[in-house]
Amino acid sequence: MIEFMDSCRAITDETGLRDMLGQMTRELGFNQYALLHHVDLVRPPAHSITLLGYEDSWMERILRYRYFHDDPILAASNRRLTGFGWREVPDIIRLSRRQRRILHEARAHGLRDGFTVPLQLAGEYRGTCSFASDHPIELTADLIGSAQLVGTFCFEVARRITNQGGASTSQIPVLTQRQLDCLVFVGSGKTNWEIGKILGVSEDTIHKHVSSAMRKYDVGKRTLLVVRALFDGQLSYRDMLRMH
């Protein structure tokens, strides 16, 4: 695993990541993988992660019938912070008839058992790294820990690769602490007057702070400003919910 982690630092393109993920999938005892953001796989957004090592026949069905919209594995991952075996899925979510059909059909394409690592970062699409097998897998503590590590590291490499050419950390606008304080309240639905009363300053002062932050982000709406700040990690959902 130390060798694997060192190798991840040297990966610079998708081909290298696919090779590494395929190798680690086999070493873990699985034979198929899927590292992806939970997006429309027919028309994936720019910079989204969609590395799929499933059989071509199964990929065709996923895209043709848009199974990714109702994928029970992805649905279960939204309820977990740590990895889980696929046999646990009926205990995590209530399966619909369509989801049961998806699981049944997947077995004919080598997806009989598996392990999925939920991968979530505030402001970004939900993601998962799944390892699949055509035979039952004994999920030992060592295997669970190793799969969790491989999935997390490969996802971080994928984020680095897909964001190349996009906005870097150095390009994120620098907001003052007072601007961030105002945005927390903006995100929780407060008006400038209400924010001014809470912070002990005038409504005009709040307007200036928020307007300055909007100029830095080059946006014309307060809601878009909050979304952008959340995406960049300058705000947290927890802070805004606490203000309600």
Side-chain angles (χ1 to χ4, degrees):
M1 296 309 297
I2 293 175
E3 182 180 349
F4 158 73
M5 289 186 285
D6 287 338
S7 298
C8 283
R9 299 187 182 95
I11 298 175
T12 59
D13 55 31
E14 183 177 315
T15 299
L17 178 56
R18 284 185 180 277
D19 290 343
M20 173 61 72
L21 189 50
Q23 175 187 339
M24 295 308 298
T25 297
R26 292 186 294 273
E27 292 191 14
L28 290 171
F30 300 93
N31 50 18
Q32 298 188 61
Y33 66 83
L35 181 69
L36 74 161
H37 276 132
H38 299 183
V39 297
D40 185 337
L41 295 181
V42 175
R43 298 181 182 84
H47 303 305
S48 60
I49 298 169
T50 53
L51 297 180
L52 299 164
Y54 289 155
E55 293 180 358
D56 291 342
S57 57
W58 181 237
M59 285 304 308
E60 290 176 5
R61 294 192 68 80
I62 289 175
L63 298 177
R64 178 185 301 174
Y65 300 109
R66 298 182 180 270
Y67 281 168
F68 50 85
H69 285 313
D70 304 289
D71 190 315
I73 305 301
L74 303 189
S77 73
N78 294 335
R79 302 280 187 90
R80 296 290 295 265
L81 293 175
T82 56
F84 58 91
W86 289 3
R87 279 169 280 179
E88 299 177 56
V89 170
D91 297 324
I92 300 174
I93 61 172
R94 177 175 294 181
L95 294 169
S96 67
R97 181 177 300 178
R98 177 175 167 85
Q99 288 173 326
R100 292 183 184 280
R101 184 170 72 248
I102 291 173
L103 288 176
H104 176 73
E105 291 182 10
R107 293 170 66 90
H109 298 270
L111 304 175
R112 183 176 178 183
D113 201 1
F115 184 81
T116 291
V117 181
L119 300 158
Q120 303 175 15
L121 199 64
E124 297 188 10
Y125 299 114
R126 291 178 180 271
T128 45
C129 183
S130 294
F131 303 98
S133 171
D134 56 6
H135 60 273
I137 293 290
E138 181 184 0
L139 294 176
T140 64
D142 285 344
L143 178 57
I144 290 173
S146 297
Q148 190 89 34
L149 188 64
V150 170
T152 302
F153 266 75
C154 285
F155 192 75
E156 187 59 29
V157 171
R159 290 182 66 249
R160 170 164 54 82
I161 292 172
T162 56
N163 283 329
Q164 288 178 358
S168 66
T169 303
S170 62
Q171 294 174 308
I172 296 176
V174 178
L175 302 182
T176 67
Q177 185 57 54
R178 187 52 101 183
Q179 288 170 345
L180 291 172
D181 292 341
C182 291
L183 288 191
V184 168
F185 291 106
V186 170
S188 63
K190 298 290 191 294
T191 65
N192 286 349
W193 181 84
E194 292 173 318
I195 299 172
K197 288 296 183 181
I198 294 171
L199 297 181
V201 297
S202 70
E203 181 178 355
D204 184 59
T205 298
I206 299 301
H207 174 75
K208 290 179 180 178
H209 285 314
V210 176
S211 295
S212 177
M214 291 171 66
R215 285 193 296 273
K216 289 180 179 180
Y217 264 105
D218 192 24
V219 296
K221 294 184 177 180
R222 290 156 58 101
T223 51
L224 184 55
L225 172 62
V226 172
V227 169
R228 291 286 301 278
L230 281 168
F231 187 87
D232 289 340
Q234 302 213 57
L235 297 179
S236 75
Y237 297 103
R238 186 177 298 276
D239 287 338
M240 289 190 297
L241 290 174
R242 191 165 58 239
M243 296 306 163
H244 279 286

